[in-house]
Amino acid sequence: MGRLSTIRDETVFAAAGAQLASEGAVTLQGLVAATGISIGSLYHRYGSREGLLAQAWIDAVSTFQDRFLAALAAGDEEAGLQAALATPRFCREQRDRAIILCCCRQVDFIAPATPPANLQTVRTINDKVAAALQAHAGKSGHSLAACRMGMVAFPLGAVRLYLPGQAVPEDVDDYVEAGFRAAMNADTGARS
Amino acid sequence: MGRLSTIRDETVFAAAGAQLASEGAVTLQGLVAATGISIGSLYHRYGSREGLLAQAWIDAVSTFQDRFLAALAAGDEEAGLQAALATPRFCREQRDRAIILCCCRQVDFIAPATPPANLQTVRTINDKVAAALQAHAGKSGHSLAACRMGMVAFPLGAVRLYLPGQAVPEDVDDYVEAGFRAAMNADTGARS
DNA sequence: CATATAATAGAATGCAAATTCTAGTAAAGC
DNA sequence: GCTTTACTAGAATTTGCATTCTATTATATG
């Protein structure tokens, strides 16, 4: 029961990401202007500025993580490539969340003043991805460095050529694939 | 004539970059604490917070630009590769400036409130790099997108795996080279 | 319809950081 | 050694933003 919220979390989080990407900082007044929400609602719903930012980050990261881990979990020969391609695809299908992940930094959302509960959630998420990467490295016989390069660094660098201003073109996937294979081949620490 | 400054610009700029990378924001009090400079000196030397940030960015970008353009200017077969490698090399030799370039964003330093003179300088620098890339694309027969991918996006993504916390390992150069060649080969818009 | 609950709303407050301002200090030229 | 010039220094002020607080509005349930 009780009154229903008029403005969705999604809208607020997207506005925060957009402001951070374009201005370099988020102000609550800015969010009020961008979304029409009131200061009172912001504090009622998110507790504090830090809480709001932390939730926005967690929302974006966990959504992406689901796809990235699912791709890796396939476990077959091309699992790594699918994980690499998860980044450009995410940028097209979840643009607002991708802007938070690709155009901002964790430090913009997660700070010492972040509520402990949120801080713990972030740690769990980060650990999970790190572990999955580690596991994939072991299974595929490649070094962790090569996996991070081909599945994280190159894809991120690629989409950042376009976000936040432009759409990520389809042919970025070709470059990501080429970069992924190159990283795997260049793997000086390969074990197989 | 006149009194000599005791703390070098370089030191102040590096502190600004370090703070931005680790905390996500720069405060003048933070710079005072990190470098020992006084508030009065900051305003005397840089005019304003915006002026200071703009100068720090310009210092970092123009230093990098010199190397990047020099590599491209060689003009031979491997000029593109040398330009791609300029990024990891810069990270090792000019770490403080590299942190500003690789771990921060232009928007953190250049804003609407940036002094017009500095704004103009930044525009000139950006245009120069864009033109050189464009020229290299034409000369080498590759698309501009492929050149930006292999010479900017992949190298940047690669070093960001390590900066600002760790040194950029030597083998990153191998991945950057592999990524560069992959981008050139994957070039769907190649003209030769 | 009455009541409890949850959300909206925005003016008032407090705080942290940027900026201003006045005084003091070191180097170079005459 | 005197003057000019450029830099240092930090207290006082202002400003912009986060946060608090009280009132109000909308929905669900009995």
Side-chain angles (χ1 to χ4, degrees):
Chain A
M1 65 177 70
R3 186 172 175 175
L4 304 176
S5 54
T6 55
I7 292 163
R8 293 189 304 177
D9 285 345
E10 210 178 318
T11 306
V12 177
F13 296 165
Q19 249 187 70
L20 207 39
S22 70
E23 328 264 315
V26 187
T27 67
L28 298 187
Q29 291 302 336
L31 293 182
V32 166
T35 66
I37 202 173
S38 70
I39 288 283
S41 292
L42 286 177
Y43 276 86
H44 178 72
R45 290 164 69 168
Y46 309 111
S48 67
R49 181 177 176 277
E50 298 297 333
L52 169 102
L53 292 174
Q55 287 177 56
W57 177 257
I58 289 168
D59 169 71
V61 176
S62 60
T63 305
F64 174 73
Q65 181 197 245
D66 288 346
R67 296 165 172 238
F68 187 83
L69 291 185
L72 270 188
D76 63 0
E77 193 62 28
E78 294 294 274
L81 174 60
Q82 293 307 314
L85 291 172
T87 294
R89 287 174 181 159
F90 189 71
C91 293
R92 298 189 191 102
E93 294 159 24
Q94 298 276 335
R95 182 161 233 278
D96 292 334
R97 290 189 171 106
I99 286 175
I100 289 178
L101 285 187
C102 302
C103 305
C104 305
R105 300 157 301 176
Q106 182 168 321
V107 71
D108 291 321
F109 295 89
I110 308 298
T114 299
N118 293 330
L119 219 52
Q120 190 48 50
T121 305
V122 171
R123 259 192 229 106
T124 305
I125 293 178
N126 288 347
D127 289 353
K128 215 157 145 188
V129 172
L133 264 177
Q134 185 76 259
H136 179 82
K139 214 183 306 181
S140 69
H142 290 286
S143 69
L144 181 59
C147 290
R148 296 212 302 151
M149 200 61 76
M151 296 158 58
V152 179
F154 286 175
L156 254 182
V159 300
R160 276 204 260 240
L161 281 185
Y162 303 95
L163 291 185
Q166 307 158 55
V168 175
E170 291 293 334
D171 69 349
V172 163
D173 288 22
D174 299 333
Y175 291 108
V176 167
E177 174 168 352
F180 169 77
R181 298 199 188 283
M184 293 304 121
N185 290 335
D187 190 355
T188 53
R191 293 177 226 151
S192 72
Chain B
M1 65 177 69
R3 186 172 174 176
L4 305 175
S5 52
T6 56
I7 292 164
R8 293 189 304 176
D9 285 346
E10 210 179 320
T11 307
V12 177
F13 296 164
Q19 247 187 72
L20 206 40
S22 70
E23 328 264 316
V26 188
T27 69
L28 299 187
Q29 290 302 335
L31 293 182
V32 167
T35 66
I37 202 172
S38 70
I39 289 284
S41 292
L42 286 176
Y43 276 86
H44 177 74
R45 291 164 67 170
Y46 309 112
S48 66
R49 182 177 177 277
E50 299 296 334
L52 160 67
L53 292 175
Q55 286 178 56
W57 177 258
I58 289 168
D59 168 71
V61 176
S62 60
T63 304
F64 174 72
Q65 181 197 248
D66 286 346
R67 296 164 172 240
F68 187 83
L69 291 185
L72 270 188
D76 63 1
E77 194 61 29
E78 294 296 273
L81 173 60
Q82 294 306 315
L85 291 172
T87 294
R89 287 173 182 160
F90 189 71
C91 293
R92 297 189 193 101
E93 294 160 24
Q94 298 276 335
R95 181 160 234 278
D96 292 334
R97 291 189 170 104
I99 286 175
I100 289 178
L101 286 187
C102 302
C103 305
C104 305
R105 300 156 302 175
Q106 183 169 321
V107 71
D108 292 320
F109 296 87
I110 307 299
T114 298
N118 293 330
L119 218 52
Q120 190 48 49
T121 305
V122 171
R123 260 192 229 106
T124 305
I125 293 177
N126 288 348
D127 289 353
K128 215 157 146 187
V129 172
L133 264 176
Q134 184 77 259
H136 178 83
K139 215 183 306 180
S140 68
H142 289 286
S143 70
L144 180 59
C147 290
R148 296 211 303 150
M149 201 60 76
M151 295 158 58
V152 179
F154 286 176
L156 254 181
V159 300
R160 279 204 259 239
L161 281 185
Y162 302 95
L163 290 184
Q166 307 158 53
V168 175
E170 291 293 335
D171 69 348
V172 164
D173 287 23
D174 299 333
Y175 290 108
V176 167
E177 174 167 355
F180 169 77
R181 298 199 189 283
M184 294 304 121
N185 290 335
D187 189 355
T188 53
R191 293 174 226 151
S192 73

